[in-house]
Amino acid sequence: MTLEPERYELREAPAYDFPLDRREFFKTLGGGLLIVALISPSDAQESGRRGGAGGLGAPKEIAAWIHVGEDGVITANTGKVEVGQNIRTSLSQAVAEELRIPVSSVRLVMGDTALTPYDMGTFGSLTTPQMAPQIHKASAAARQALIALAAKQWSADPATLTASDGRVIAPGGRSIGYGELTKGRKLVETVDGAGIAAPKDWKVCGQSIPKVDGRAFVTGAHQYVSDLHPAGMLFGKVLRPAGYGGKLASFDGSKAAAMPGVKVVRDGDFAGVTAPSQEAAERALEALKAEWKVDPQPSDRELFGYLKENASESRPSTLEGAVDQALAEAPVKLRRTYEIAYIAHTPLEPRAAVAEWSDGKLTAWIGTQRPFGVRSELAEAFHLPEDRIRVIMPDTGSGYGGKHTGEAAIEAARLAREAGQPVKVVWTRAEEFTWAYARPAGVIEIASGATKEGAIVAWDFHNYNSGAAGIDSLYTIPNQRVQFHPTKSPLRQGSYRALASTANHFARESHIDELAHEVGLDPLEFRLKNLSNPRLRAVFEAAANKFSWNKRKPTAGHGFGIAGGFEKAGYIAMAVEIAIERGQVRVVRVVSAFDCGAVVNPVHLNSQVEGAVVMGLGGALFEALKFENGRVTNASLSEYQVPRFSDTPELETVLIDRKDQPSVGAGECPIVGLAPAIANAIYSATGQRLRSMPLVPNGLPKVVSQR
Amino acid sequence: MAFEILVNGASHRVETDPETSLLSVLRNQLGLTGSKYGCGEGQCGACAVLIDGRAVRSCITPVKHAAGRHVTTIEGLARNGKLHPVQQGFLDADALQCGYCTPGMVMSAVALLAKDPHPTDAAIRRGMEGNVCRCGTYPRIVAAVRMASKGAAR
Ligand code: FES
Ligand code: FES
């Protein structure tokens, strides 16, 4: 028998001693068949896995496991979490596909540090390209093992047996249920990766399976973290500083402490209260007297200058040809600056956590995209070994890259330790706007050169602060310098759906449009002329076709724009129609063409694309955090508007189902093309080139038409 | 102060400050956590419930306003395990991603259809404008309400 890399890893890795864990596994799972999918060493390196064992003391090399119980119940365990991207459904489809069972009979255990394998976190659109194949592998191996068991029992040739609907079936019609096959056994196998269904043969994957537990959501039965209420639970509130980095200069909690049932905690710059009711906790918080020392900080009006002035040393990530010479000699030259404001994720469920201590062990329920990361944060904050901490993540009210951290869990745990009872902390909307992290703001400078015929010959691209995601272009340009300049950020900043790719695409695809107009070419034609990547060309052509880009001209007051790009291994192009109505920009229609490999669930993919477009509308048109002296000054939903029904254009999506390509994640890529497509459409309608995101926070700026 | 409120057909006595929000009473005292907190300022609709059939934002409704009146929450819509047509519409149209906005959306839609049983898409969008879905599921939510209005007509 040949040794597959995974199996080799299992036998050889010195840190790995699976038989010891086996009892642990089965103690929780009951008897049956357990199939473990291991991460290949290269994957492990890529995803930067380090330290931190998974649940049940399982080693970190485990990606996922599938358990076929004696009762026939099939459970898949993964450290990934559900935040509305519907991976609970798509991963269940993977199990069902390979094990030949209905989707409804799959139980998926997700994101619980005591029950699931270690996982870095649910971000970067990695579930579909990395976790789904592991689940496929483990499930396929489980099916093979079940067939082998049946073959042995019947003394039959396994090749003659098939699996269907939870049973192994022999040619004559004789059959046996999966559960019966595993009865009285404790079998453990690692996957050998053979026999995974190819996308072209998919029966369950590739189908629009509705959200697996949808009923719990439409009836209000699903319990989000903010809905939990363990016995004896208290409500916690945390005193917030007067500004970022505030130091608690003086504190008097005596008035609050005198209130019935209230406990006051002060520990360094942390202060908070617990009380038996939410209202009592709010009143106690108000009764705290504190003075904060806050250093002066820049405001949003000084933002872009500040980012450039504080840039630190860096080096180009791409340097090809002779950029300066090519820029100097190009017959058509353009130099432009683009700006991107800070925006807030505004997940509809604000950060929330419940923490409970018992016998020096801490359990925290929190809505986070990184349960194992939060466990590390808690270990650090409380100087505890990780095996004394359990982090549980119930399916959460969205994240969009905004819930990578565990602030609420740390706060609840600190308060709970004092109170000696479980404590829940739910951030208010204002806290969410002020104390969560923002999508980075940025300044992007581009200098470019082209020939009169429309070939781009020089490209000099500098991004200050936004980040490096999506900074490289797929255009074929002989002379290029691309550089990210880290700098100081006035606001706390972090991950966001598609990261900096939105900013970089906004600048790049706006600039490409400007260049097209400089050389007098149609923006689509200009792009295709400078693009050789077949998949990106294909989405541009698909979007343009569906939109009838070349067949129609915008009517008066309307404009067309196109833009596209590449992110997280997916390709997106968008054609957009906008209308100017009483000085306001209305997005009328968005046609997206998207290629993310083989499509796993068309309806949910559609939802992800539409969701990304709707979310993108806010950042493109009007969302921006305002701030001054370390405080956000528009920290409410009435002042910080997010897209609503009335903002939603007609949305059409062309899904390019590439059965010949691996499936990749879809939550992020579609957001990147929207802002530049809208900016380009505004130019087409008005002759005004807007280079700052959000484009029209107060309607169309009153400028004399440049056209 | 003590209040008598009728929630989903059952009468409850709650002991609280009259200004306490109805949302807090439902969630924290009655354990009806289907209604959600999204903003606390009447801007997102996650907390929508019905009082005497009309949709209100329970986060900015003091509990005293609900005293002696019929409150319906998401938990009270299904009858004997059979989903309300709007709930069914949301499932059929797959109109949820993270689902956090869903209870409020469903309650707003129920109130909308009570007033206008066969709304146009434009009327649905207008009627639901006060509800935010951050996951951007708006087109499917419109489809869900449309399906519910058709289903109810059958
Ligand atoms: S929570 Fe009531 S409207 Fe947002
Ligand atoms: S489904 Fe997530 S907020 Fe609507």
Side-chain angles (χ1 to χ4, degrees), chain A residues 82-84 86 209-211 214-215 217-220 222-224 226-227 229 235 278-279 283 344-350 396-398 400 424 426-430 496 603-604 606-608 610-612 614-615 623 636-638 641-646 648 651, chain B residues 16-17 20-21 24-25 27-29 31 33-41 43-44 46 74-75 77-78 81-83 87-88 90-91 93-94 96-103 105-106 124-126 128-142:
Chain A
E82 173 66 57
V83 286
N86 278 325
I209 305 289
K211 191 174 178 79
R215 194 184 166 98
F217 290 85
V218 301
T219 55
H222 174 73
Q223 298 248 298
Y224 296 87
S226 45
D227 301 330
H229 197 137
F235 293 80
Q278 187 181 312
E279 289 68 31
R283 280 193 299 271
H345 305 78
T346 330
L348 201 57
E349 182 187 27
T396 281
S398 72
Y400 321 116
K424 174 157 77 179
V426 180
W427 283 21
T428 62
R429 181 53 59 193
Y496 187 103
V603 164
H604 289 165
N606 229 305
S607 287
Q608 283 283 294
E610 292 184 355
V614 171
M615 183 160 220
E623 281 180 45
S636 69
L637 266 190
S638 54
Q641 288 287 336
V642 295
R644 290 175 182 269
F645 278 94
S646 60
T648 308
L651 298 175
Chain B
T16 187
D17 184 314
T20 302
S21 74
S24 175
V25 169
R27 289 178 53 82
N28 300 325
Q29 296 199 33
T33 53
S35 311
K36 305 298 180 201
Y37 168 88
C39 67
E41 45 172 322
Q43 288 287 328
C44 76
I74 188 77
E75 290 91 345
L77 277 191
K82 190 173 173 343
L83 296 181
Q87 291 172 308
Q88 193 59 49
F90 271 70
L91 283 186
D94 224 325
L96 57 157
Q97 296 190 51
C98 77
Y100 195 78
C101 68
T102 308
M105 289 282 179
V106 168
I124 295 172
R125 280 194 290 268
R126 228 180 302 119
M128 304 286 288
E129 182 70 0
N131 287 69
V132 167
C133 175
R134 273 304 274 159
C135 297
T137 326
Y138 298 125
R140 285 187 191 282
I141 294 172
V142 172

Side-chain angles (χ1 to χ4, degrees), chain A residues 384-668:
Chain A
L384 275 180
E386 293 196 343
D387 62 5
R388 314 210 70 166
I389 303 169
R390 177 179 181 185
V391 175
I392 304 171
M393 154 77 189
D395 293 4
T396 281
S398 72
Y400 321 116
K403 288 181 178 167
H404 287 188
T405 44
E407 304 87 344
I410 294 175
E411 293 161 1
R414 183 65 190 84
L415 293 171
R417 197 172 71 181
E418 199 81 6
Q421 278 165 270
V423 169
K424 174 157 77 179
V425 170
V426 180
W427 283 21
T428 62
R429 181 53 59 193
E431 287 179 301
E432 182 67 40
F433 273 119
T434 309
W435 302 102
Y437 53 87
R439 183 177 81 183
V443 176
I444 298 176
E445 294 174 339
I446 308 178
S448 65
T451 65
K452 289 217 159 59
E453 296 70 38
I456 310 172
V457 291
W459 187 255
D460 195 12
F461 187 103
H462 296 266
N463 173 320
Y464 296 86
N465 191 60
S466 275
I471 201 167
D472 280 307
S473 108
L474 286 180
Y475 293 101
T476 314
I477 308 171
N479 304 289
Q480 289 197 55
R481 177 166 48 219
V482 177
Q483 189 166 353
F484 166 56
H485 303 261
T487 167
K488 282 206 276 197
S489 168
L491 296 193
R492 189 178 175 221
Q493 61 182 19
S495 184
Y496 187 103
R497 198 172 202 168
L499 304 165
S501 201
T502 303
N504 286 321
H505 275 86
F506 167 64
R508 177 165 56 242
E509 285 292 288
S510 295
H511 194 86
I512 292 284
D513 217 70
E514 297 195 51
L515 260 186
H517 290 287
E518 278 309 303
V519 299
L521 282 179
D522 169 79
L524 174 65
E525 189 189 338
F526 180 69
R527 283 177 170 83
L528 294 176
K529 199 176 160 75
N530 288 282
L531 263 183
S532 59
N533 182 296
R535 290 175 77 179
L536 188 51
R537 288 180 66 97
V539 290
F540 267 118
E541 281 161 353
N545 267 339
K546 177 95 181 178
F547 188 85
S548 298
W549 180 262
N550 287 320
K551 298 200 196 81
R552 306 188 298 137
K553 289 280 158 268
T555 53
H558 284 232
F560 294 169
I562 196 162
F566 166 79
E567 180 57 34
K568 300 289 190 306
Y571 299 81
I572 185 84
M574 281 173 180
V576 164
E577 175 171 358
I578 62 113
I580 308 293
E581 290 167 358
R582 279 166 265 114
Q584 301 289 327
V585 172
R586 185 167 69 85
V587 181
V588 179
R589 180 176 178 227
V590 176
V591 175
S592 316
F594 186 35
D595 166 2
C596 60
V599 173
V600 179
N601 185 321
V603 164
H604 289 165
L605 179 55
N606 229 305
S607 287
Q608 283 283 294
V609 177
E610 292 184 355
V613 172
V614 171
M615 183 160 220
L617 283 170
L621 295 172
F622 45 73
E623 281 180 45
L625 281 168
K626 303 266 171 234
F627 55 95
E628 193 151 17
N629 270 324
R631 279 212 78 90
V632 170
T633 54
N634 58 344
S636 69
L637 266 190
S638 54
E639 294 159 290
Y640 184 106
Q641 288 287 336
V642 295
R644 290 175 182 269
F645 278 94
S646 60
D647 297 305
T648 308
E650 206 182 303
L651 298 175
E652 290 161 65
T653 308
V654 186
L655 296 178
I656 302 185
D657 189 3
R658 294 288 302 254
K659 294 277 192 240
D660 59 328
Q661 295 286 344
S663 311
V664 300
E668 305 190 73

